[in-house]
């Protein structure tokens, strides 16, 4: 027993959280607090999402090791030509594109260290780059099913293809990015906040294996093309793209293929959150949310739903907040459901646990030695959450 306790203490706090949530969920099923049919329904729905999550993160991690993201980041900085306003616009575009195409957790895990390392190389203050990454990892995750796990759930509920979801969410996404960019400039990038007035563009990064770089870049591009043009399940597209990259590494750099590439923590945490939230729903939270969300599909109702979703995401986490809210929204109220999606995605930037991507981002910043003042993070994040959620929800009215 002592050996088990000592091993648990050696685990990372997020690992202990993930294991604890899964243990609570399993306990709820075993004791009957959560009926087995409801648990089975949630887990069967979750299966394809977990396959997608695991494969896309392995794909992105290996692409990062091949220096795909380093190369793009260096080109972004060189394209800025030493001018901060231009660099700012390019960084916003880079972070947004990464989130939209490879999901917010990938942005938090891979883009954060790349941006911070870039800042060190060219003398750019770390905090503006870090905040650009974390805010846009959340607020730029509205457009495609691939951008966020909550989007996958919502697209399944409202029967929208990737292009169908994009056709509805393009204007809300633009609104959320625009508001986030404005807040980033005011709070972190304007003169007096960002450090020096100019920077020195970096030299291109050295690439050890150009062939591996091209294969990884092509696999990422092919994955994006597949989900936008070809009618294939997201998990299948990410699985094929990952298989191509893994095969390339097996031939050219087999030592990089380790079990640690698999995001085990996420694969434990996500089912645990689903089971725990479903248990709490079955014992009172559902009724509270029914009264909080209402059933109005008009603008006032959509703003109310988005606001409740944002608040719940910052209290719990955006994924369980969406799952709980989705169970309350009537099946035919697609507009209200999409407003809920906006709230839990764009509004989850106030607390460090508002989204898993934010938790991962905090860890990456700590490892890189970048100090994040939680009070300032929360206060500026509150402004972004309110403004981006409201702007995107109002834009949604124009596209539905």
């Amino acid at each position: 027993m002592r050996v088990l306790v000592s091993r648990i203490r050696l685990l990372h706090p997020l690992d202990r959280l993930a294991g604890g949530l899964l243990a609570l969920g399993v306990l709820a099923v075993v004791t009957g607090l959560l009926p087995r049919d409801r648990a089975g329904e949630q887990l069967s729905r979750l299966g394809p999402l977990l396959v997608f999550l695991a494969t896309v993160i392995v794909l992105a991690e290996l692409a990062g090791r091949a220096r795909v993201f380093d190369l793009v980041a260096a080109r972004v900085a060189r394209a800025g030509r030493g001018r901060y306003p231009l660099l700012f616009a390019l960084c916003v575009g880079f972070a947004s594109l990464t989130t939209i195409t490879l999901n917010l957790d990938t942005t938090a895990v891979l883009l954060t260290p790349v941006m911070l390392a870039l800042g060190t190389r060219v003398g750019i203050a770390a905090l503006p780059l870090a905040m650009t990454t974390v805010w846009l990892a959340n607020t730029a995750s509205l457009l495609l099913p691939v951008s966020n796990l909550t989007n996958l759930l919502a697209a399944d509920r409202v029967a929208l293809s990737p292009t169908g979801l994009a056709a509805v969410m393009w204007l809300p996404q633009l609104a959320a990015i625009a508001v986030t960019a404005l807040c980033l400039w005011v709070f972190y990038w304007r003169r007096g906040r960002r450090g020096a007035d100019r920077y020195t563009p970096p030299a291109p990064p050295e690439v050890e294996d150009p062939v591996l770089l091209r294969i990884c870049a092509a696999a990422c591009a092919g994955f994006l093309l597949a989900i936008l043009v070809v009618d294939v399940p997201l998990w299948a597209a990410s699985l094929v793209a990952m298989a191509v990259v893994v095969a390339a590494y097996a031939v050219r750099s087999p030592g990089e293929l380790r079990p640690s590439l698999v995001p085990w923590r996420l694969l434990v945490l996500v089912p645990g959150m689903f089971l725990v939230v479903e248990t709490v729903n079955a014992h009172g939270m559902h009724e509270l949310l029914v009264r909080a969300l209402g059933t109005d599909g008009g603008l006032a109702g959509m703003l109310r739903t988005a606001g409740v979703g944002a608040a719940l995401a910052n209290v719990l986490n955006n994924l369980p907040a969406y799952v709980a809210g989705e169970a309350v929204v009537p099946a035919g109220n697609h507009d209200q459901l999409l407003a809920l999606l906006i709230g839990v995605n764009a509004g989850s930037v106030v607390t460090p646990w508002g989204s898993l991507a934010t938790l991962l981002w905090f860890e990456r910043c700590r490892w890189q030695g970048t100090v994040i003042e939680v009070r300032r993070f929360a206060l500026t994040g509150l402004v972004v959450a309110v403004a981006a959620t409201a702007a995107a929800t109002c834009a949604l009215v124009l596209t539905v």
Side-chain angles (χ1 to χ4, degrees), residues 54 86 119:
L86 181 55

Side-chain angles (χ1 to χ4, degrees), residues 200-226:
T200 303
E206 295 182 3
V207 177
E208 296 179 0
D209 192 334
V211 174
L212 200 54
L213 172 71
R214 294 190 193 100
I215 292 173
C216 290
C220 292
F223 164 66
L224 177 60
L225 187 64

Side-chain angles (χ1 to χ4, degrees), residues 180-205:
T180 304
L182 177 61
C183 292
L184 281 167
W185 183 264
V186 171
F187 292 132
Y188 294 101
W189 277 84
R190 63 186 170 87
R191 181 172 295 177
R193 296 283 187 182
R194 65 190 179 220
D197 287 333
R198 292 185 65 85
Y199 68 93
T200 303

Side-chain angles (χ1 to χ4, degrees), residues 20 32 55 101 121 127 139 186 196 211 230 261 265 279 282 301 310 324 327 367:
T55 53
T101 58
R121 287 175 59 197
L127 191 58
T139 62
V186 171
V211 174
V230 184
L261 284 171
R265 180 189 296 159
T279 302
W367 291 339

Side-chain angles (χ1 to χ4, degrees), residues 9-36:
R9 286 177 178 173
L10 291 175
L11 292 174
H12 189 279
L14 287 179
D15 293 327
R16 292 200 292 268
L17 173 65
L21 284 173
L22 184 60
L24 285 174
V26 172
L27 183 63
V29 176
V30 171
T31 59
L33 284 173
L34 178 61
R36 294 191 177 187

